[in-house]
Amino acid sequence: MQTIRGFRDILPEHITLWQKVEREAADLFESFGYREIRIPILEKTELFARSIGETTDIVEKEMYTFEDRKKDKLTLRPEATASICRAYIQHKLYASEPVQKFYLFGPMFRRERPQKGRYRQFYQIDAEVFGVESAYIDSELIFLLNELFKRLGLTGLSAHINSLGCPECRPAYQQALLDFLGERKETLCTDCKRRIEKNPLRVLDCKVETCREALKGAPTTVDHLCEACDDHFKTVRASLIRQGVDFKVDHALVRGLDYYTRTAWEIQTTSLGAQSAVAGGGRYDRLVEELGGPATPAIGFAIGFDRLVEVMDQLGTKGEEKALDLFIVPLGNAAMDLSYHWSCDLNREGVRTDTDFRGKSMKALMKRANKLNARYVLIAGENELKENKAILRNMDTKEQTDIPVDSLVTDLVNIFK
Ligand SMILES: [Zn+2]
Ligand SMILES: [Zn+2]
């Protein structure tokens, strides 16, 4: 049996980097008042169709959607924002406290064409803030990403930011864009020709070379912002500058999904030479209301966890491998019984201890102690036990000490304290 195409196992030998990222992220987010939320992996399909947008690639082609036995249409979550909004509305969290700050770690699912480093079950780190319209929260989220990536050792960090405007100023921009695209329609790819009808903004981030060429000189959202959006975006930029966050305004950044308003961003790193995106986010002030909640400004980001770990791995970053304090080598049945109980007693007292119950030879067990990186080994041999003692060996210095069986747990706890 094998994993499904586009899916993978993350084995214990690779998990330490994931854990390091999770620890750093949780520490940083919580110190800014964010709290962890966990939500289901499976939701009604309608939630994503309504939030992400019927005409996006995700909803049209990439979702894992199926009918369950009662013919309910269900989808494996392709992203977290919609589900977190659903939870915010369902539990009326706005009523208990108008400002809510969340973070989340977890798998998402999209049936994309499998390619190197892209998985159909991929992981994201999300943060979302509800109830704050102020531009300072946009800056805070971008600052958080920048700070987290710096702590994780990434270099060449730069935020690409844009403002997509609001329902006030979007229509005028949309018209200017349509006029521009109308003159160049013949040079655009077939996808873009279709996008002009359904969501012209998305033509801007087409990756096809001829489209990129045709879009040079296209009108920008930033030039069409209403006064409120313009002020908002100015505050974002000014507060990023003041905190030393490197950024550039990127007019082509529209972030695909229908629900974004005002600030949208991506964080790029040049840690591995070429520029690559490791996180993206944006404001979605209308989504909560569109999903049936009260009008609530909201904003969030997602970090590509798989990509981030890959970058850190290639940079040679190591996770924290917690070594054992002690590995007990039992020789003979009586020793095995003692070892089991010593191991439980020592772990109860906080000494990280493991042992082995296979009745293997001294040589085999010393090999295992080495593999486990144990700092000390306790040899419980038949002859030693007859003399009411066991031998403690320091694996670094090879120094050996006799430990009396009667006071063994207390003595070892004192040594490892
Ligand atoms: Zn506006
Ligand atoms: Zn195109």
Side-chain angles (χ1 to χ4, degrees), residues 163-170 224-230 262:
S163 176
L164 305 177
C166 69
E168 281 283 303
C169 49
R170 186 81 67 84
H224 290 77
L225 297 177
C226 64
E227 206 184 330
C229 286
D230 193 44
R262 290 191 168 167

Side-chain angles (χ1 to χ4, degrees), residues 318-329:
K318 291 278 172 266
E320 216 180 300
E321 195 82 61
K322 271 199 198 161
L324 282 178
D325 292 321
L326 181 69
F327 185 79
I328 308 176
V329 171

Side-chain angles (χ1 to χ4, degrees), residues 8 10 14-26 29 36 77 103-108 117-119 121-126 145 148-149 152 154 277-280 301-313:
R8 64 159 168 173
I10 301 164
H14 295 127
I15 213 72
T16 52
L17 272 185
W18 293 77
Q19 291 172 330
K20 181 189 174 79
V21 172
E22 285 177 356
R23 265 196 301 272
E24 290 281 358
F29 298 165
E36 187 176 1
R77 64 183 187 196
Y103 72 89
L104 169 142
F105 306 128
M108 311 293 154
R118 293 281 269 235
Y119 302 96
Q121 174 175 333
F122 57 100
Y123 291 80
Q124 286 189 341
I125 301 169
D126 277 81
L145 284 168
L148 176 64
F149 293 147
L152 294 173
L154 268 56
V278 275
F301 64 65
I303 299 172
F305 205 161
D306 306 75
R307 176 77 189 129
L308 174 60
V309 168
E310 189 190 313
V311 170
M312 289 169 67
D313 193 38

